[in-house]
Amino acid sequence: MIKEYGSDFHYLAECPEIKGKKFLEDYLGKDYQLHFSGRTALYSLIKNGIENLGWKRICFPEYFCHGVIDYIRRLDIDVLYYNDGPYVAEFDSSQFAAFDTADTAIFIVNYFGCQKTKVLNVEKAVVIEDHTHNPVSAWALRSSADFCIASLRKTMPIPAGGLLWSPKRKQLPVNVGDERSFVNSCFFMNLSAMVLKAEYLNGGNVAKQDFRDLFIESESMYSDIRIQGPLPEFGFRMINYVPVNSLIETKTRNLKLLQELIDVDFETVQGYQIDEVPLGLIILNESKEIRDRLRAYLAARNIYTAVLWPNQPTAQGRDFSDSMLLLHVDIRYDANDIAYMAKTLQHWAQSDLFKSEIQNATISL
């Protein structure tokens, strides 16, 4: 058996057999619409807003995945920015006074899935919330926004899946696009990669590059406009079989254990709720150079981290993006795996080569 940590999910065949609450049936419990991805859900919503509700502009936070924003720019709508990011200590709702018009949509992000609820004092503007990093947070489940979206594959072991719902019970748009052949190709290519990765990790006759090529090719299809379309039926069944309570319990347990095992002071990122479960363990370093060296050190030991998100347009955003790493501690890992991650970070901290760097880092929950 091969042990690797992080990166794309492999196929977890045991998920349908795990008893527990189901996401769509037991957690969401309201009208919803499934899309191929979070970005296609957002695109469908904004397209409907332009054509039927008179939307003329949408306001995004400065710190976000700009690949998604570029995808939305294909629509005939002005894209504006406001100040927000995981580095912002207090969410400033007063900045939206100039945007509070009926032709404006404001997009709000729960960074890493455990921020405090962000309240907008707007009367006319439409509020859209992104709960990708924790679709079952208290904020998500008790939201009072006009609309909410989530890209489910970021937290669930599925090849694709985007969710759109309206806490205010507003009418959801028709799922635009019907490129079933292209959509199915992307979905089942990603699923094939997940299955091959599972076989690789189990010691099967699969080369790592076999599934990596499929992951890379399917990921490139996400920026294609033809990806607008309904999620395949098998995708719906996979989402409904995801044992959400097991995902939450495992991640909570793993984060707690990792915190206990690492002999480094933990600090919280601004605005975090300590009773929520973040997307993963976030390590903040003093510089991009130090971050990149730590990332390479971990990768050499089969621990693959993520950066959310590179290529930020503002100096403050770049400073945060260039310093952060995200370690995955989800349902794929048990106590032995977490102990290995902790031991690897401890070795980094105790190494003469890296000792000065780790002292300039903070590890955040």
Side-chain angles (χ1 to χ4, degrees):
M1 178 174 287
I2 298 173
K3 298 298 294 186
E4 290 190 355
Y5 311 88
S7 193
D8 300 282
F9 278 105
H10 60 277
Y11 184 69
L12 298 174
E14 67 272 18
C15 269
E17 302 173 7
I18 299 176
K19 297 185 182 300
K21 289 186 177 181
K22 305 293 177 58
F23 177 61
L24 297 178
E25 293 179 359
D26 301 314
Y27 273 91
L28 201 57
K30 60 187 71 174
D31 293 335
Y32 62 86
Q33 190 178 77
L34 282 178
H35 291 253
F36 185 80
S37 67
R39 75 176 64 185
T40 63
L42 182 60
Y43 183 98
S44 178
L45 177 62
I46 296 175
K47 187 175 188 293
N48 179 73
I50 295 169
E51 295 176 350
N52 299 311
L53 303 174
W55 296 4
K56 294 182 179 179
R57 57 184 183 173
I58 180 166
C59 303
F60 283 101
E62 294 172 339
Y63 197 90
F64 192 56
C65 175
H66 285 266
V68 172
I69 296 176
D70 290 341
Y71 190 87
I72 299 302
R73 286 185 183 276
R74 297 170 177 175
L75 293 168
D76 185 19
I77 192 167
D78 292 334
V79 173
L80 307 176
Y81 295 97
Y82 65 89
N83 179 38
D84 194 25
Y87 41 80
V88 173
E90 293 292 336
F91 182 70
D92 181 14
S93 61
S94 66
Q95 63 186 309
F96 299 106
F99 302 139
D100 192 12
T101 59
D103 61 357
T104 301
I106 302 174
F107 190 78
I108 305 296
V109 178
N110 181 5
Y111 295 106
F112 309 126
C114 52
Q115 287 192 304
K116 298 176 183 177
T117 301
K118 298 173 183 177
V119 179
L120 277 67
N121 297 317
V122 295
E123 297 179 357
K124 300 177 181 178
V126 176
V127 177
I128 307 169
E129 293 176 351
D130 181 3
H131 292 288
T132 292
H133 292 167
N134 191 348
V136 294
S137 68
W139 177 4
L141 298 178
R142 301 169 189 166
S143 172
S144 60
D146 296 284
F147 299 98
C148 297
I149 69 160
S151 175
L152 301 178
R153 70 188 181 112
K154 302 298 191 300
T155 57
M156 300 180 182
I158 57 176
L163 189 67
L164 171 63
W165 75 98
S166 174
K168 291 187 176 180
R169 304 289 182 176
K170 292 193 173 183
Q171 183 174 354
L172 301 177
V174 176
N175 193 339
V176 299
D178 194 26
E179 293 281 352
R180 291 182 182 273
S181 177
F182 188 86
V183 169
N184 288 345
S185 176
C186 182
F187 179 89
F188 288 104
M189 185 184 300
N190 202 314
L191 179 59
S192 297
M194 293 175 65
V195 172
L196 287 177
K197 182 175 181 179
E199 184 66 13
Y200 165 81
L201 294 174
N202 285 326
N205 186 25
V206 177
K208 187 170 185 175
Q209 201 58 43
D210 292 339
F211 63 83
R212 287 299 304 144
D213 288 343
L214 291 176
F215 275 132
I216 292 169
E217 184 173 352
S218 62
E219 188 67 31
S220 70
M221 299 170 74
Y222 274 77
S223 61
D224 194 305
I225 193 64
R226 291 176 293 173
I227 209 67
Q228 289 293 143
L231 186 70
E233 176 63 24
F234 186 64
F236 169 81
R237 295 205 303 272
M238 287 188 73
I239 292 171
N240 211 33
Y241 277 129
V242 170
V244 179
N245 57 334
S246 295
L247 265 66
I248 296 171
E249 291 167 4
T250 302
K251 188 181 289 186
T252 301
R253 183 171 60 249
N254 286 345
L255 279 168
K256 181 180 179 181
L257 178 60
L258 192 54
Q259 182 180 14
E260 293 172 351
L261 293 177
I262 300 176
D263 188 21
V264 179
D265 289 337
F266 282 70
E267 298 181 11
T268 58
V269 174
Q270 302 286 7
Y272 270 27
Q273 294 280 73
I274 60 174
D275 57 346
E276 292 287 1
V277 184
L279 184 61
L281 184 79
I282 302 157
I283 299 179
L284 302 179
N285 298 276
E286 192 175 65
S287 68
K288 184 177 185 299
E289 179 184 4
I290 295 171
R291 190 277 308 276
D292 289 346
R293 292 166 72 178
L294 173 56
R295 192 179 195 191
Y297 181 88
L298 294 173
R301 291 151 181 83
N302 291 341
I303 301 174
Y304 300 101
T305 56
V307 174
L308 303 178
W309 295 275
N311 305 316
Q312 293 299 309
T314 67
Q316 194 174 19
R318 285 191 297 273
D319 287 344
F320 184 88
S321 174
D322 288 348
S323 73
M324 74 86 64
L325 284 180
L326 178 80
L327 273 71
H328 299 280
V329 292
D330 50 66
I331 196 172
R332 292 173 284 182
Y333 311 117
D334 60 20
N336 291 330
D337 298 321
I338 298 303
Y340 173 77
M341 295 182 197
K343 183 177 179 180
T344 304
L345 286 171
Q346 288 294 95
H347 283 176
W348 161 273
Q350 295 164 3
S351 167
D352 290 338
L353 182 60
F354 298 109
K355 187 174 295 183
S356 60
E357 281 87 344
I358 198 68
Q359 290 172 350
N360 291 323
T362 60
I363 300 179
S364 306
L365 283 181

